[in-house]
Amino acid sequence: MTTANRPRRSVLYMPGSNERALQKAAGLAADALILDLEDAVAPAEKVKARGLVAAAMAERRYGSREVAIRVNGLDTEWGAEDIAAAAAAGPDAILIPKVESGVQLREIAARIDALGAHEGLAIWAMMETPLAALNSAEIAAATPRLDVMILGTNDLVNELHATHTPERQPVMTALGLCLLAARAHGIGIVDGVYNAFRDERGLRLACEQGKALGMDGKTLIHPAQIATANQVFAPDEAELEEARLYLSAYETAQAAGEGVTVVNGRIVENLHVENAKRLLGLDAAIRDLETAAA
């Protein structure tokens, strides 16, 4: 499954030091999980968390959903051992915090290669500082292992000395730069968290904004947020019906030797067809994931 059609509607952070939470995650409907050794874990619990996450991965308890392990930075006392343990545990990805340059990611990739990790082990990059946004194009092109950018909007707002607002205008430039870089280089991009996990209406509005911007999904801090993110970031039936109609009409036009066609008064070109295929592929992938989890 490629990045283009891999479901990442809901990407849930789980604290690596909480054994019960790691067990509970196996039954949740999130598309992807981030088993966290960094922000969600107190310094005194870091080593314990590393062992708990490795044990959870060894049990293969998360099925076909995507799993990333967020490690501590190499500038900490835990970072190097975190990366080694994560590479050995066999997740889909290792999430690197506070990525700010392509050089930094290439050094991480070289370290992972030296550990003998398989080629399919991806790197995900936390984009959570002003420098990350400014260097997003360089970061996106840094290494073939990079598969996803994860937006860390809480840290970004803090470093900008900005304020959280419903419209997110203070961080919109940074979000846009990261989106441009991700799409230009064919990698995934997942929106930052919504902090008020009991505010379903606010979460829905934030998810709708993220989808409108072009995000693949949203990172989440609580299981109660999963259903809303899954619903908003999935193609709805109207989108799918239009996609099927566009694809059918375009194939008919191609068979007749015509480059474009008209559907409901709108010209349908190849770019519309490519998007239709993307939506239908994403819908099929979501159905496959949900069937496997049932």
Side-chain angles (χ1 to χ4, degrees), residues 2-3 24 35 132 155 179 186 215 222 243 250:
T2 65
T3 283
K24 182 180 179 181
L35 309 185
D155 285 82
L179 271 162
M215 303 288 182
H222 195 279
Y250 191 75

Side-chain angles (χ1 to χ4, degrees), residues 224-249:
Q225 298 177 314
I226 294 172
T228 297
N230 281 351
Q231 181 185 38
V232 173
F233 282 99
D236 62 33
E237 191 51 45
E239 290 175 306
L240 294 172
E241 182 58 34
E242 183 177 71
R244 296 185 194 102
L245 189 60
Y246 281 7
L247 191 57
S248 175

